[in-house]
Amino acid sequence: MNLRQTLDAALSEALSEVCGQQVPAMVAQAKNPEHGDYQANGALAAARSARRNPRELGQAALDLAELDDLVEHADVAGPGFINLKLRDSLLIDQMRAPLQSPNLGKQTIVVDYSSPNLAKEMHVGHLRSTIIGDAMARLLEYLGHTVIRQNHVGDWGTQFGKLLVEFEANGTDTSSLEDLETFYSEASKRYDEDKTFAEAARARVVDLQSGEATAETAWRKFIDISLSHCQAIYERLGVTLTSEHLAPESGYAAELPHIIQTLADTGLLEASDGARCVFSERLKSREGEPLPLIVEKSDGGYLYATTDLAALNHRCQSIGANRVLYFVDARQSLHFDLLFEVGKRAGLAGHASLEHHPFGLMLGADGSPYRTRDGKTVKLASLLDEAENRALDVVSEKNPDMDLDERRKIARVIAIGAIKYADLSKHRTSDYVFDWDRMLSFEGNTAPYLLYAYTRTKRILDKAPRARADFAHTALGTTERDLALHLARFPETLGSVAISAEPHRLCTYLWQLSALLMKFYESSPVLKSEGTTQALRLRLCERTAETLKRGLELLGIETLERM
């Protein structure tokens, strides 16, 4: 049960009846627990429009609302706030029921994330899109939505013309991504310095897009090498992307003429400097000039905007998505503003909600983008190696007598979890400093702290008696109630994350849950208690372990039974 939604629905219905029009109750968690568990602020806004006393309006709504099964105490305070305290019996009923998905979803949602550069190794710049997008895909799927993961990779542009010419001129076969990176680096340099090379590269792009056999064969090899590297990183990170989720630019090649024609037919296409462009007069640059969205170059080569429009059209029309979520860094925000506007004007977007969810940068200790000591971009594989080595040192220090293979297994889970959680626990739009010591710490809002809370709870449950008393009518102590209330709020937390696409809300919830668990342990002995009291406390432990495990899984973080 989503407690906030249930209370909001009941009070909104009552307020609407009292006011004679639709009025939202605006129920939220109470900021001060002394005032109750939840607070409704809708009476204040409704009173202004109805020209009535807000306290009288709030009391009338309370008298009318059917809340007896949910609320132990309710009152109207201050200028018209409705305070609500839940019944302990409701919280106990929530604990007795099995943990299951709220099943709130009926939508088809496309989640676009990761989007690595092909012909190059994945680096830290790809980390945030990959793990934020994957956490959102997991969570939306858990809530019952039909989620379509799509990894939109650029495999159809000028960079492959450069690579083809360099590869053919070099005459050397290649089977590794390292070779491709070397070729690409050299090719980019020559492209900028050698006019003949640049013309040849552009010509090979046209050949590739025309289906010329030798170009297509070499291109396919480049793609296969790159994607095998990406898949290895995804598997190591525990990310749910696979080859079936690829949505490459080349996959929309057949749709590009249709997109161009649609833009022309709707009057959105104009000639500009030898290229055909889409203009959006309502979207201006900082200097106040109209910004073009280039969709076709005069030499026949297409720029990425065209394939983005084709992808948008496919997702909204062919797939019939209700929501399309793009997890792409904030530097491309203007591109998405233009893309969405053009897509809507051209009739390509249907009725879908188009959402660009940007994110900030991962920074080093000096506040600049995270790099190696010699200033190079950190490769993702190297970052994961270092994380596992550092985690192994921590695990070995705490468990020197543990088998080495077991220590390595634990270190791998801690390392990957620590990297993911350090990112996901920050507000998505914020930059954050990448700090090894903090993210691997067993104190504070970190993955190791949450993993330890889970394993500690599992240890208690392993020692617990199997036969237990019924605790249906047991009174809740203070720390017991605090923990039970927080556990009952899990569904509404997931609902909030689903709407906002902000996984840090779930991280904060799990961190608070772990902190409440520690307070509960300190004041409420579990194994030393007896009868219905012990049964209640064991169930609190069980539900906490279940919720921690489920919450971490939704973030893409594996749990451990021992640390």
Side-chain angles (χ1 to χ4, degrees):
M1 177 191 293
N2 186 320
L3 295 177
R4 191 200 64 78
Q5 280 189 352
T6 302
L7 293 169
D8 192 79
L11 274 175
S12 293
E13 182 179 353
L15 267 175
S16 298
E17 187 170 340
V18 170
C19 294
Q21 60 181 343
Q22 287 295 113
V23 177
M26 301 170 59
V27 173
Q29 293 180 18
K31 294 181 179 180
N32 186 344
E34 293 182 1
H35 296 159
D37 302 322
Y38 290 88
Q39 185 179 80
N41 301 327
L44 280 77
R48 283 194 292 270
S49 60
R51 296 184 177 181
R52 294 180 59 177
N53 182 294
R55 289 180 61 90
E56 293 179 359
L57 190 62
Q59 189 60 56
L62 265 183
D63 293 341
L64 186 63
E66 298 181 1
L67 298 174
D68 289 347
D69 292 340
L70 305 173
V71 174
E72 174 186 303
H73 176 76
D75 61 35
V76 180
F81 303 119
I82 300 175
N83 295 324
L84 305 164
K85 183 177 181 180
L86 300 176
R87 291 187 177 278
D88 284 5
S89 58
L90 174 67
L91 300 178
I92 289 175
D93 286 344
Q94 295 298 298
M95 280 196 304
R96 297 180 76 198
L99 180 67
Q100 56 188 6
S101 165
N103 198 25
L104 305 175
K106 296 180 181 178
Q107 293 185 316
T108 297
I109 303 176
V110 173
V111 182
D112 182 312
Y113 65 107
S114 193
S115 302
N117 302 317
L118 300 187
K120 296 181 181 179
E121 281 196 58
M122 291 181 72
H123 56 74
V124 294
H126 300 118
L127 184 64
R128 298 207 75 182
S129 173
T130 301
I131 63 177
I132 295 173
D134 200 60
M136 285 305 304
R138 288 170 180 266
L139 185 143
L140 291 167
E141 208 162 47
Y142 178 68
L143 291 180
H145 296 291
T146 298
V147 175
I148 299 175
R149 295 164 173 80
Q150 294 210 332
N151 191 358
H152 188 70
V153 296
D155 66 343
W156 205 235
T158 306
Q159 71 269 32
F160 286 95
K162 299 177 188 177
L163 197 55
L164 283 167
V165 175
E166 180 68 22
F167 178 71
E168 291 160 355
N170 189 282
T172 304
D173 195 11
T174 182
S175 59
S176 74
L177 190 58
E178 186 177 352
D179 292 337
L180 284 185
E181 284 202 278
T182 301
F183 282 137
Y184 186 76
S185 177
E186 291 297 321
S188 296
K189 183 178 180 181
R190 291 183 63 188
Y191 186 87
D192 294 335
E193 299 174 352
D194 186 337
K195 184 177 179 180
T196 302
F197 182 91
E199 291 175 352
R202 287 192 288 269
R204 288 304 268 161
V205 172
V206 176
D207 290 341
L208 176 60
Q209 295 177 353
S210 301
E212 195 271 328
T214 58
E216 189 167 333
T217 298
W219 167 79
R220 174 49 59 193
K221 186 171 186 178
F222 300 157
I223 299 303
D224 289 345
I225 292 171
S226 297
L227 291 179
S228 64
H229 162 77
C230 293
Q231 194 57 48
I233 293 293
Y234 294 148
E235 290 174 3
R236 192 171 176 186
L237 275 172
V239 168
T240 54
L241 284 173
T242 66
S243 58
E244 69 180 271
H245 302 127
L246 281 172
E249 289 184 344
S250 60
Y252 301 104
E255 297 182 36
L256 300 184
H258 163 69
I259 298 298
I260 297 295
Q261 190 60 51
T262 299
L263 295 172
D265 292 344
T266 51
L268 291 170
L269 212 56
E270 298 181 12
S272 175
D273 298 328
R276 290 195 284 175
C277 309
V278 175
F279 283 88
S280 178
E281 72 276 0
R282 286 191 293 172
L283 293 167
K284 307 290 185 179
S285 69
R286 289 193 180 93
E287 291 75 27
E289 295 297 321
L291 288 163
L293 183 66
I294 301 175
V295 296
E296 186 183 12
K297 295 177 69 176
S298 56
D299 63 5
Y302 293 94
L303 293 185
Y304 69 92
T306 320
T307 52
D308 282 359
L309 282 167
L312 182 149
N313 179 61
H314 175 76
R315 294 162 180 182
C316 297
Q317 305 295 344
S318 300
I319 294 175
N322 302 104
R323 294 177 71 188
V324 184
L325 281 59
Y326 295 82
F327 290 93
V328 182
D329 68 68
R331 291 171 293 181
Q332 294 188 47
S333 292
L334 181 59
H335 167 71
F336 282 100
D337 288 343
L338 288 164
L339 180 71
F340 295 166
E341 181 69 17
V342 171
K344 291 172 183 176
R345 291 193 190 188
L348 303 176
H351 300 290
S353 170
L354 306 178
E355 306 170 24
H356 173 214
H357 294 291
F359 46 85
L361 298 175
M362 193 168 90
L363 306 176
D366 61 355
S368 61
Y370 189 70
R371 297 184 182 277
T372 62
R373 290 181 179 177
D374 57 2
K376 295 180 181 179
T377 301
V378 178
K379 294 181 178 180
L380 205 41
S382 300
L383 184 78
L384 300 184
D385 288 341
E386 183 170 0
E388 291 188 21
N389 289 334
R390 286 175 176 266
L392 181 59
D393 289 342
V394 173
V395 173
S396 297
E397 182 180 348
K398 292 181 177 293
N399 304 278
D401 299 327
M402 183 183 290
D403 178 75
L404 179 58
D405 288 341
E406 183 70 11
R407 277 182 278 149
R408 283 177 173 160
K409 177 183 176 182
I410 293 173
R412 179 191 62 79
V413 173
I414 290 176
I416 301 301
I419 286 176
K420 286 186 171 185
Y421 193 85
D423 190 305
L424 294 168
S425 61
K426 308 301 186 297
H427 193 290
R428 173 171 44 75
T429 60
S430 301
D431 297 342
Y432 77 96
V433 175
F434 191 84
D435 184 334
W436 284 115
D437 292 336
R438 175 169 174 74
M439 71 173 57
L440 290 171
S441 173
F442 279 76
E443 298 179 358
N445 188 12
T446 67
Y449 176 74
L450 298 186
L451 292 171
Y452 173 72
Y454 174 76
T455 57
R456 182 178 179 184
T457 308
K458 292 293 289 184
R459 285 200 304 271
I460 290 175
L461 292 172
D462 287 343
K463 299 175 182 178
R466 293 186 179 275
R468 301 180 196 172
D470 184 8
F471 58 88
H473 304 291
T474 305
L476 291 172
T478 300
T479 57
E480 293 167 343
R481 190 182 192 281
D482 290 344
L483 185 55
L485 175 61
H486 197 72
L487 288 166
R489 286 172 168 169
F490 187 50
E492 67 191 70
T493 300
L494 299 184
S496 172
V497 177
I499 294 170
S500 67
E502 294 174 341
H504 79 276
R505 295 172 184 249
L506 176 54
C507 295
T508 300
Y509 171 88
L510 296 175
W511 177 43
Q512 292 172 341
L513 177 61
S514 298
L516 288 170
L517 178 68
M518 297 305 176
K519 289 182 179 179
F520 165 74
Y521 284 152
E522 291 172 2
S523 64
S524 308
V526 179
L527 297 177
K528 292 182 179 180
S529 59
E530 298 177 345
T532 57
T533 299
Q534 185 185 70
L536 169 67
R537 292 175 180 176
L538 285 172
R539 183 53 188 156
L540 280 166
C541 290
E542 284 178 339
R543 176 51 64 85
T544 301
E546 292 165 356
T547 304
L548 282 171
K549 184 177 180 67
R550 175 60 66 189
L552 289 168
E553 285 175 349
L554 294 178
L555 296 173
I557 297 174
E558 187 180 349
T559 53
L560 293 161
E561 298 302 306
R562 64 177 295 210
M563 290 178 69

